[in-house]
Amino acid sequence: MRPSILRRLLRRVVPTAALALVAATLSTAATAPPAGAAAPPAASAAAAGGLQPVTGFGTNPGNLQMFAYVPADLPANAPVVVALHGCTQTADAYYANSGWPKYADLWGFAVVFPQTTAANNALSCFNWFDPADSGRGRGEAASIAQMVEYAKQSYGSDGDRVYVTGLSAGGGMTADLLAAYPDVFAGGSVASGLPAQCATSQAGASACQTGTVKLTPAQWGDKVRASHPGYSGPWPRVAIWQGTADYTVAPVNATALRDQWTDVWGIGQTPSSTDTLPGNTTRSTYDDASGRPAVRTYSVSGMGHGLAVSPGTGTEQCGSTAAYFLNAICSTYHTAVFWGLDQGAPGGGGDHLPAPSGLRVTGVTADSVSLSWDAVEGAASYVVHRNGVKTASPTATTYTDPGLAAGTAYRYTVTAVDASGTPGTASAQVTATTTGSAPARCFTASNYAHVAAGRAHTTLGYVYANGSNQNMGLYNIFIAHTLRESPTGHFVLADTGCTP
């Protein structure tokens, strides 16, 4: 039996004293539900209303389940939000009570609801405190990253507008994901959660929850920077929600989260502005060097442990009260507006900027590619993507990408970013090949892995080799092929034999 499977079974069957402590403090069963609160819905109730299970989204190293809500007539290049439940909760409960489906319908975006089980953790908590699950390319974090890739491929979601939010243990995992995958997530929202990489063991989780871990902003920031070494930005925009009467996750964790992400952004811990919102909520905004909001904290006076909701039919109202969904303010509305998901709502990001036109390759060398594009009115900056990954954020309409491999093809798109930090639609793709030559290489992998590695692409559920455009069959992990790369960036099927 593999060690990872044995470890998960041991968690389920013989929890350690440390796990029991985590269960007692982080579980949504740790205190009684508020008086009059409704019970979470049955598992089938939400599914009948639109939440759908998704299988085959990847190799799933973290043993998670994927559910998704995709509004009818979802436009191409729409955003996608990943929403993580708390301990003992389910994807159904978060779908039914958080309010995210309302704004997905109103503003046009997809929502992915990952779900963990007792096979991973005795109380179905996301393992935010376990390096085997919380690091880049590992366990549950890797499974969630695969769900994002599935959404991009299957729903046409915009890779520049991917966001993640979570409650309690889901909030802790949200912070870990923002640190491990800052190139994937444009923003995050941590509700009653923990700083990224606060704990690296079950025993250390309790100290984080009670707020006894005392670090400087730079030390907190270093935990983020160490999660994806060498990455220098752009960084996600982070919202932090916390009740002042939370006795499960101490409110000092919100301060630690603020210190962590303002340090990562290179800005101070003094707010640029502070204002009052409904539900006895104080909002503090920390702007980046260009004056755009980078970090926001929302302190809800008198609220305990849970996600703030505000049932009703108004635009700024959402959700329903239940265990750990507490009537105060619609945190989902304000989070979505902070990210710019709204379409012209007060205080929102407004209409998204159009795609830059005229993207062209202006020069290549053995180790660099130079690009230029036409200016977009209203753009404060641009984001350059190389092979689908954020590479740079220039303010000019030209960019030279250095440090590349010789004789290699690279794919580029550019997105305009408005003054609020909201990216628009991606440009048409261009391909540039550096000079020189590279030896032919052979790769044997599943169709899913070939797409993830950039050797193939998908269209209508089928996989095609990049360059030759040969049909490789269905997009899944069960069909495998050997691809030969020659020249660089051009792949052909070589199942009968491949000689480098």
Side-chain angles (χ1 to χ4, degrees):
M1 179 179 294
R2 289 184 300 168
S4 61
I5 297 176
L6 178 60
R7 173 171 56 86
R8 297 184 191 281
L9 289 175
L10 286 173
R11 283 186 187 145
R12 184 178 183 181
V13 178
V14 190
T16 64
L19 179 56
L21 181 59
V22 172
T25 54
L26 248 194
S27 167
T28 54
T31 59
S44 61
L51 187 66
Q52 299 298 323
V54 178
T55 58
F57 59 84
T59 56
N60 193 18
N63 190 36
L64 298 181
Q65 298 170 356
M66 177 180 176
F67 296 83
Y69 178 69
V70 182
D73 301 320
L74 183 72
N77 295 315
V80 59
V81 173
V82 178
L84 303 173
H85 63 76
C87 296
T88 74
Q89 291 182 324
T90 63
D92 284 351
Y94 218 71
Y95 167 87
N97 298 308
S98 66
W100 279 109
K102 171 178 178 173
Y103 298 107
D105 287 336
L106 184 63
W107 295 330
F109 56 86
V111 188
V112 169
F113 293 88
Q115 179 172 287
T116 187
T117 67
N120 283 14
N121 180 286
L123 288 176
S124 299
C125 306
F126 289 102
N127 289 319
W128 58 273
F129 50 83
D130 188 342
D133 279 313
S134 64
R136 185 179 179 92
R138 300 176 185 174
E140 294 176 354
S143 290
I144 294 168
Q146 290 179 354
M147 295 180 197
V148 171
E149 184 62 29
Y150 180 93
K152 290 162 60 178
Q153 297 289 339
S154 300
Y155 312 143
S157 300
D158 185 351
D160 286 339
R161 293 186 288 163
V162 180
Y163 305 90
V164 61
T165 181
L167 166 64
S168 192
M173 182 59 78
T174 292
D176 289 339
L177 286 165
L178 293 172
Y181 293 97
D183 51 335
V184 172
F185 297 102
S189 179
V190 181
S192 301
L194 297 305
Q197 297 301 321
C198 181
T200 56
S201 68
Q202 295 172 353
S206 178
C208 292
Q209 293 160 214
T210 57
T212 57
V213 178
K214 306 295 184 182
L215 299 178
T216 66
Q219 289 171 326
W220 282 121
D222 285 344
K223 289 181 175 291
V224 172
R225 288 180 283 269
S227 296
H228 187 12
Y231 184 81
S232 59
W235 295 104
R237 305 170 69 211
V238 182
I240 302 158
W241 289 85
Q242 182 71 49
T244 62
D246 188 339
Y247 301 112
T248 300
V249 174
V252 70
N253 282 288
T255 301
L257 278 159
R258 178 208 62 185
D259 290 351
Q260 183 171 64
W261 289 100
T262 52
D263 180 78
V264 168
W265 274 87
I267 55 182
Q269 286 73 54
T270 300
S272 306
S273 64
T274 301
D275 54 354
T276 301
L277 300 177
N280 297 317
T281 303
T282 300
R283 176 176 63 186
S284 299
T285 300
Y286 302 81
D287 292 340
D288 66 12
S290 66
R292 294 176 291 172
V295 177
R296 272 185 175 158
T297 62
Y298 301 81
S299 178
V300 187
S301 180
M303 190 181 82
H305 186 67
L307 183 73
V309 298
S310 179
T313 58
T315 301
E316 298 186 21
Q317 294 178 294
C318 74
S320 56
T321 56
Y324 303 94
F325 293 94
L326 307 180
N327 191 358
I329 181 176
C330 177
S331 59
T332 297
Y333 168 82
H334 290 279
T335 294
V337 168
F338 172 55
W339 290 338
L341 297 182
D342 57 313
Q343 297 293 323
D351 293 333
H352 298 299
L353 294 177
S357 60
L359 177 62
R360 52 202 173 272
V361 179
T362 58
V364 294
T365 68
D367 62 358
S368 69
V369 170
S370 296
L371 306 166
S372 68
W373 56 91
D374 298 336
V376 173
E377 183 177 357
S381 63
Y382 300 88
V383 175
V384 178
H385 279 71
R386 182 209 311 134
N387 294 342
V389 177
K390 294 176 183 177
T391 300
S393 298
T395 56
T397 57
T398 59
Y399 174 68
T400 297
D401 191 15
L404 305 178
T408 303
Y410 295 95
R411 297 171 284 112
Y412 292 93
T413 60
V414 175
T415 301
V417 180
D418 66 20
S420 72
T422 303
T425 303
S427 70
Q429 180 178 285
V430 298
T431 301
T433 302
T434 51
T435 58
S437 60
R441 296 184 296 172
C442 300
F443 304 89
T444 301
S446 70
N447 279 356
Y448 175 86
H450 280 308
V451 171
R455 296 186 288 267
H457 59 278
T458 63
T459 301
L460 298 176
Y462 286 86
V463 176
Y464 298 86
N466 288 341
S468 68
N469 213 38
Q470 291 174 297
N471 190 328
M472 298 165 58
L474 292 172
Y475 178 55
N476 58 39
I477 63 172
F478 306 108
I479 299 175
H481 288 290
T482 297
L483 294 179
R484 184 176 189 271
E485 183 183 20
S486 181
T488 302
H490 185 94
F491 297 87
V492 295
L493 284 168
D495 293 334
T496 58
C498 189
T499 303

